[in-house]
Amino acid sequence: MVQFYKSVLVALGLFSVAHSSLIDIDLDLDLSTDNGCCPQRNEASRKEWGELTPSQRIDYTDAVLCMQKQPQHLPREEFPGVRNRFDDFVATHINYTLHVHYSGLFLPWHRHFLWLWETALRDECGYTGHLPYWDWPKWDNDLAASPLFDCSESSLSGDGEYNPGEQSIQGGSQTLPPGTGGGCVRCGPFKDMELHLGPFSRNLASTTEIPAPGFDYNPRCFNRSLNNFVSSNYNNETIVDRLLSSTDIIDFQTVMDHWPPRPDGVLGPHGGGHFSLGATLQDLFASPQDPAFMLHHAMIDRLWSIWQNKDAKNRNAINGTNAILNPPTGKLVTLDMEMEFGVLDRPRTIGEAMDPTKDGYCYSYT
Ligand SMILES: [Cu+2]
């Protein structure tokens, strides 16, 4: 996938992050206060997974399993692979993948997507907690020993069964070693989970149309492969510190998606998290099928909000276009550009998603 992006970047002549084709937007909003406008409920605090008690963690995974038992809202005829409410979120992600990755929509679209997920868990499955996050550097050397992936009843399940046929991963100029699993997950709360959508090839044939298998129904087991090489190289403390000291949104987005922080960097911490858990989370389109997806993106959202708050006046900015890899044909993002969420929500402007402490969201991270 990364190899593919690199060649597309070269083909599009975007190899040197074309500042001129990107846009910076500044808004004079104070992100450091909630302006007292969160009247509907107390401000939600999103916590690190290991900070939750085991029973709070089980409340979260129970709510995820509950979503997999609720009826879908998307029509079965058009979306045969969507079998439940959880799949509504997966299919919505597939539907907008070519707009909301490696683009100006990446950060705000995923911020709102996570909030819709958290809200659905609470409203539709009686979850009383908030969305936890995966603090990558805390566990980057030994994923299997972390409370996230130790396969206990209070984890998000763990490694898949060992599959000797597990392939190494091509990440830019680097060949990343395969992980330790590769087969079906057989322990923890998601041991019986079935994936319905995807898999999508990592060699995308087109960047303008959703490729095969689209929304086809393809039931199979939930596959994982823990990869400490990837997490320790691309999700370590040094990279997180570097991300938080980014000088502007262009720098922030470059570090997030490319490490070393150049457009030809192999993987940033965004890709690193995806590639740390094997095929299900690596799937650019259908990755929300791994229950760790929302916690990985909550960490991205957390770091974005921490970074924004360090210089609130100047960091209410977003950068890029509304198309994957910011091709010249993409539309430059603006704060009043609308983002779509299909059946999950009405369209929202980018500006609406810029401040998590504002009325409507009212959350912060510990
Ligand atoms: Cu995504």
Side-chain angles (χ1 to χ4, degrees):
M1 183 166 72
V2 172
Q3 186 61 58
F4 168 78
Y5 288 141
K6 200 175 146 189
S7 49
V8 170
L9 281 169
V10 173
L12 296 174
L14 293 177
F15 223 46
S16 55
V17 178
H19 277 238
S20 58
S21 74
L22 304 174
I23 195 162
D24 236 37
I25 300 151
D26 291 330
L27 243 204
D28 232 0
L29 283 181
D30 182 2
L31 299 176
S32 63
T33 75
D34 66 11
N35 301 319
C37 51
C38 287
Q40 286 125 1
R41 54 180 182 176
N42 293 330
E43 192 173 310
S45 175
R46 292 184 178 175
K47 295 190 166 67
E48 191 266 316
W49 182 258
E51 215 184 298
L52 301 178
T53 65
S55 80
Q56 288 173 324
R57 292 178 214 150
I58 291 169
D59 287 346
Y60 181 78
T61 55
D62 279 352
V64 176
L65 291 166
C66 161
M67 289 289 278
Q68 295 175 352
K69 293 195 187 85
Q70 304 304 310
Q72 77 271 18
H73 296 183
L74 285 166
R76 180 65 59 88
E77 315 76 61
E78 275 174 73
F79 299 89
V82 174
R83 315 304 272 200
N84 57 48
R85 190 71 175 126
F86 177 94
D87 292 343
D88 276 345
F89 283 80
V90 180
T92 301
H93 187 270
I94 292 171
N95 209 15
Y96 297 111
T97 287
L98 296 173
H99 298 280
V100 302
H101 298 100
Y102 302 93
S103 76
L105 295 176
F106 173 68
L107 294 166
W109 192 89
H110 285 83
R111 170 169 285 170
H112 193 67
F113 185 65
L114 296 187
W115 183 81
L116 291 171
W117 169 250
E118 181 184 54
T119 303
L121 291 177
R122 293 171 62 87
D123 292 353
E124 299 171 39
C125 280
Y127 178 55
T128 55
H130 298 282
L131 181 64
Y133 65 91
W134 166 12
D135 191 354
W136 318 307
K138 240 178 151 166
W139 326 103
D140 66 337
N141 287 306
D142 195 354
L143 291 164
S146 74
L148 289 143
F149 306 117
D150 66 6
C151 244
S152 64
E153 287 310 304
S154 60
S155 69
L156 299 170
S157 287
D159 212 353
E161 288 179 320
Y162 177 61
N163 171 10
E166 171 87 341
Q167 304 282 313
S168 55
I169 309 159
Q170 194 59 36
S173 54
Q174 193 175 2
T175 300
L176 308 168
T180 48
C184 301
V185 169
R186 298 291 188 205
C187 53
F190 301 112
K191 64 180 189 310
D192 299 319
M193 186 180 146
E194 212 180 49
L195 309 186
H196 300 149
L197 290 148
F200 289 84
S201 161
R202 274 190 259 145
N203 287 316
L204 304 173
S206 161
T207 52
T208 53
E209 274 171 45
I210 300 168
F215 300 100
D216 288 356
Y217 181 48
N218 180 22
R220 61 200 188 282
C221 75
F222 169 36
N223 171 299
R224 269 225 189 108
S225 188
L226 301 186
N227 196 316
N228 292 326
F229 177 89
V230 174
S231 60
S232 59
N233 278 283
Y234 299 101
N235 293 86
N236 58 43
E237 199 71 61
T238 307
I239 296 179
V240 169
D241 289 348
R242 171 62 185 82
L243 185 71
L244 292 176
S245 58
S246 298
T247 49
D248 58 22
I249 187 66
I250 295 171
D251 191 27
F252 185 88
Q253 291 181 175
T254 305
V255 176
M256 182 63 86
D257 274 325
H258 308 278
W259 186 267
R262 305 185 305 259
D264 62 338
V266 178
L267 287 176
H270 170 215
H274 280 276
F275 279 65
S276 290
L277 298 192
T280 306
L281 198 59
Q282 274 168 40
D283 189 319
L284 178 65
F285 290 81
S287 48
Q289 288 187 121
D290 187 321
F293 174 94
M294 298 294 179
L295 284 84
H296 173 47
H297 273 268
M299 178 66 170
I300 292 171
D301 187 57
R302 171 176 176 261
L303 296 174
W304 182 33
S305 68
I306 292 172
W307 181 81
Q308 284 183 303
N309 267 315
K310 288 170 109 184
D311 184 5
K313 262 194 178 155
N314 295 310
R315 293 185 178 177
N316 201 24
I318 207 73
N319 174 277
T321 74
N322 66 346
I324 192 163
L325 296 163
N326 297 318
T329 48
K331 245 180 134 181
L332 292 175
V333 293
T334 58
L335 287 177
D336 53 13
M337 178 183 275
E338 283 195 334
M339 307 185 287
E340 289 181 26
F341 298 90
V343 77
L344 300 180
D345 197 11
R346 65 175 171 82
R348 303 283 179 156
T349 64
I350 291 177
E352 281 180 81
M354 289 304 286
D355 182 356
T357 66
K358 253 187 9 189
D359 190 20
Y361 292 131
C362 290
Y363 68 81
S364 60
Y365 290 93
T366 56

